[in-house]
Amino acid sequence: MKLAAHVQAIPPSGIRRLFDVVAQMDDVISLGVGEPDFGTAWRVREAAIYGLERGRTSYTGNSGLLELRQAVSAALRGRYDLVYDPDAEVLIAVGVSEALDLALRALLDPGDEVLVPQPCYVAYPPCVALAGGVAVAVGTRAAEGFVPAAAALEAAVTPRTRAILLNYPSNPTGAVPDEAALRAIAAVAARHDLVVISDEIYDRLAYDAPHVAFAGLPGMRERTLLLNGFSKTYGMTGWRVGYAAGPEPLIAAMTKIHQYTALCASRPAQEAAIEALRTPDCAVQAMVDEYDGRRRVIVSGLNRIGLPCHLPRGAFYAFPSIAGTGLSATEFAERLLVEARVAVAPGDAFGVGGEGHIRCAYATGLPKIEEALARMERFLAGLPGFVPGRAAAARG
Amino acid sequence: MSEPGDDLTRKILRALETDARRGPRQIALLTGLSEAQAADAIAALERRGIIRAYRAAIDWGRVEPERVVAFIDVSVTPQRDVGFDQVAARIYRHPEVRSVHLVSGGHDLRVVVEGRTMHEVAAFVGEKLAPIEHVTATNTHFQLRAYKEDGLILTEEPTDDDRLAVTP
């Protein structure tokens, strides 16, 4: 069968191969899981069950249940003082993944460029390509906390550049730019009339300072599409529900695509999401505190065993350097898995700047994190020529 | 350094409530304090009586299936100056008594008593608890099954982590 050339041109995921190996092994401690170990709260599951019992199983409107859009709008107003009209400026989608796909398809003509600071979430470059665009990598460095320099972004702008795709707190680096760095990026967007797609799925997992919503920066609301969902904050990865909030013309264009493709997000998931937004803040805070503790344990542990690691300011990933081992990220991840039974994601899977690093998710309990660190320490002790503490060379 | 009710204290307490075996080194790692600071903070919390004890959570029903637990509603005539406190003290000093709470509603004290047999608990109620001066009535409910205690679900085995081992 002949397949579309642009689909065939997309390389297979660097994580997928590792997953196939893990599936055949026992006693693996996984630091490779990009989803919370806190399952969905019972109150949320119960709300979905009630919805099913009452027969709420039909399609919803294309934009999603009005009650959910209102709740999303209220949450964004309460948290970030951002005002979005639930009737025209909020779209409920099948996770942030679908919302991102819709946004790129709505914005890009063939050959249009999107600036993507890297290392980044594995799906961004393929999503841009599938929408007919060109993902332009802008590398970031460990020494700068994996925050993109505005000058580097600006240098990558061409007449074809349409958008910047941001994700802070970041998967895989845990990076969170401070407000000054975000304002510098905003200035680039304004100067070159770019749309900013801001995937803020980890917004509640910002440990050292309150999260800054990109759309809340001066002049940014009218050119920013805010993406968020329920997967990370509420442990709802398998429900597949997220949302986009942004200027009406963009939301309308996205809704047009959505109505012909997904039609609407799953009804039970939307019912559950309404309840999730009613979660008391203290419950979310308890989860954040738990991750914060694990973050300190894993980062201090990685540094102690000789894998230099900056303190990530958000999300639930540590992104240490493995330069001292002399191995490539993929070699390291595969050998660590086979020889020490610890699964991590190789950094090169996340694009430019990722080589020489591994991603260690701390969305797993402390005893397992500590055991994983002990196994990694033994693995490193058996590596000839390992230079503890050597950081990755700076990459542009 | 840390005061009861502040964020840091809360973090220390939650970390110890989750796992009482955590020592100062681990508490320091979890909270970002130095090990000495963590040790001082924990010692202060012990001194102030905020941390009362370090204990294991045990499902005794699996060790001693015959063990009996009774929830006893006790009606009391409150006394001038001391209210319910004196009667409560006469009850809670018995080692068989696991907890005593003053509650609103139809009764005054809610008492939880443990014993090896139903006879033992019945004897305690009849001979020790009911005859206490100012106790006017008792209403005993024997536990049939414990589902959840102190925040721990006892009737479900921990579920396996069914997340995929590596996800983007």
Side-chain angles (χ1 to χ4, degrees):
Chain A
M1 189 188 298
K2 184 183 174 302
L3 300 172
H6 75 286
V7 174
Q8 289 184 284
I10 291 172
S13 161
I15 287 180
R16 184 74 220 173
R17 201 156 67 101
L18 207 63
F19 174 70
D20 292 338
V21 180
V22 178
Q24 297 159 21
M25 294 174 68
D26 291 332
D27 185 33
V28 171
I29 295 183
S30 183
L31 302 181
V33 189
E35 65 176 310
D37 57 326
F38 305 101
T40 310
W42 174 243
R43 56 184 291 157
V44 174
R45 289 188 274 158
E46 194 185 36
I49 292 168
Y50 277 132
L52 291 173
E53 279 179 346
R54 289 170 202 167
R56 293 181 187 161
T57 56
S58 58
Y59 292 128
T60 69
N62 296 127
S63 305
L65 292 169
L66 179 60
E67 191 184 353
L68 177 55
R69 283 179 281 136
Q70 287 168 335
V72 165
S73 175
L76 292 174
R77 184 190 292 236
R79 231 176 280 149
Y80 304 119
D81 208 16
L82 281 167
V83 179
Y84 289 100
D85 176 358
D87 285 319
E89 296 179 314
V90 177
L91 171 65
I92 306 302
V94 183
V96 169
S97 303
E98 194 219 358
L100 173 65
D101 181 42
L102 296 173
L104 293 168
R105 288 203 269 167
L107 286 168
L108 301 180
D109 280 321
D112 280 349
E113 296 172 2
V114 178
L115 303 183
V116 185
Q118 297 189 4
C120 70
Y121 181 56
V122 293
Y124 292 163
C127 280
V128 172
L130 287 169
V134 177
V136 176
V138 178
T140 63
R141 289 185 270 236
E144 282 147 22
F146 294 106
V147 169
L153 279 169
E154 190 145 36
V157 173
T158 75
R160 297 304 306 268
T161 308
R162 291 282 290 122
I164 307 175
L165 176 44
L166 300 178
N167 167 222
Y168 300 112
S170 155
N171 174 7
T173 63
V176 178
D178 60 23
E179 190 166 333
L182 290 174
R183 280 173 183 259
I185 297 171
V188 173
R191 268 199 296 280
H192 300 279
D193 192 21
L194 306 177
V195 173
V196 176
I197 303 173
S198 189
D199 174 353
E200 302 183 18
I201 188 76
Y202 295 100
D203 67 333
R204 304 304 290 278
L205 297 177
Y207 305 108
D208 300 334
H211 177 73
V212 176
F214 199 86
L217 297 173
M220 285 301 109
R221 189 195 176 285
E222 64 264 29
R223 61 174 66 255
T224 299
L225 182 70
L226 188 163
L227 305 180
N228 205 336
F230 302 86
S231 296
K232 313 297 178 178
T233 304
Y234 304 107
M236 292 177 67
T237 46
W239 296 80
R240 310 310 305 129
V241 58
Y243 59 85
E248 199 213 324
L250 178 52
I251 293 292
M254 290 168 63
T255 306
K256 192 195 279 184
I257 306 169
H258 175 73
Q259 72 183 342
Y260 291 126
T261 52
L263 226 146
C264 69
S266 148
R267 175 83 187 254
Q270 293 191 54
E271 302 272 353
I274 293 169
E275 182 61 31
L277 286 174
R278 296 191 184 121
T279 305
D281 234 35
C282 61
V284 174
Q285 193 54 48
M287 173 195 72
V288 175
D289 286 347
E290 172 68 26
Y291 281 132
D292 188 15
R294 295 176 186 178
R295 170 180 77 131
R296 295 173 193 281
V297 169
I298 197 167
V299 170
S300 95
L302 288 166
N303 282 306
R304 180 176 52 77
I305 66 177
L307 300 182
C309 184
H310 73 291
L311 186 68
R313 299 176 64 207
F316 42 56
Y317 307 101
F319 204 66
S321 165
I322 52 148
T325 66
L327 301 175
S328 76
T330 299
E331 285 167 348
F332 182 94
E334 289 185 0
R335 285 190 58 184
L336 184 70
L337 177 58
V338 172
E339 295 171 32
R341 312 234 149 199
V342 175
V344 298
D348 56 318
F350 304 97
V352 175
E355 183 52 84
H357 292 269
I358 52 171
R359 186 194 73 176
C360 304
Y362 46 91
T364 201
L366 267 179
K368 283 193 177 173
I369 289 173
E370 284 171 339
E371 171 62 19
L373 286 166
R375 290 184 188 188
M376 288 168 84
E377 186 171 21
R378 287 196 295 275
F379 169 75
L380 291 168
L383 274 186
F386 172 53
V387 185
R390 183 191 285 172
R395 274 157 226 275
Chain B
M1 176 194 55
S2 60
E3 288 303 317
D6 71 14
D7 265 3
L8 188 60
T9 302
R10 258 189 258 267
K11 275 184 195 172
I12 294 170
L13 292 174
R14 237 185 259 125
L16 285 170
E17 190 181 38
T18 306
D19 182 352
R21 289 177 306 176
R22 286 172 175 166
R25 197 184 70 83
Q26 219 173 4
I27 296 299
L29 270 176
L30 284 167
T31 54
L33 293 172
S34 74
E35 194 171 330
Q37 287 172 323
D40 286 350
I42 295 167
L45 290 165
E46 291 169 358
R47 229 175 12 250
R48 288 185 190 136
I50 292 171
I51 295 174
R52 307 295 297 210
Y54 297 91
R55 292 181 163 173
I58 296 167
D59 186 354
W60 279 109
R62 295 182 190 222
V63 186
E64 299 174 355
E66 305 305 313
R67 170 185 283 254
V68 175
V69 176
F71 300 84
I72 306 163
D73 293 329
V74 182
S75 299
V76 178
T77 311
Q79 300 304 294
R80 176 179 286 276
D81 298 331
V82 295
F84 295 96
D85 296 353
Q86 203 167 58
V87 174
R90 297 189 70 161
I91 295 173
Y92 65 60
R93 291 201 171 105
H94 286 285
E96 298 89 332
V97 173
R98 200 160 72 180
S99 67
V100 178
H101 293 97
L102 179 65
V103 295
S104 63
H107 307 274
D108 301 307
L109 296 173
R110 171 149 285 195
V111 177
V112 179
V113 172
E114 276 188 353
R116 277 171 305 177
T117 64
M118 198 176 286
H119 175 77
E120 197 177 288
V121 173
F124 176 79
V125 174
E127 293 164 21
K128 305 287 187 200
L129 209 159
I132 292 172
E133 197 181 3
H134 310 304
V135 167
T136 58
T138 63
N139 191 353
T140 303
H141 314 268
F142 284 103
Q143 170 186 296
L144 301 180
R145 189 170 186 199
Y147 289 98
K148 184 175 183 181
E149 268 182 6
D150 293 334
L152 293 174
I153 294 172
L154 303 176
T155 48
E156 293 170 19
E157 294 302 328
T159 48
D160 279 348
D161 189 344
D162 70 347
R163 296 176 298 161
L164 304 176
V166 181
T167 54

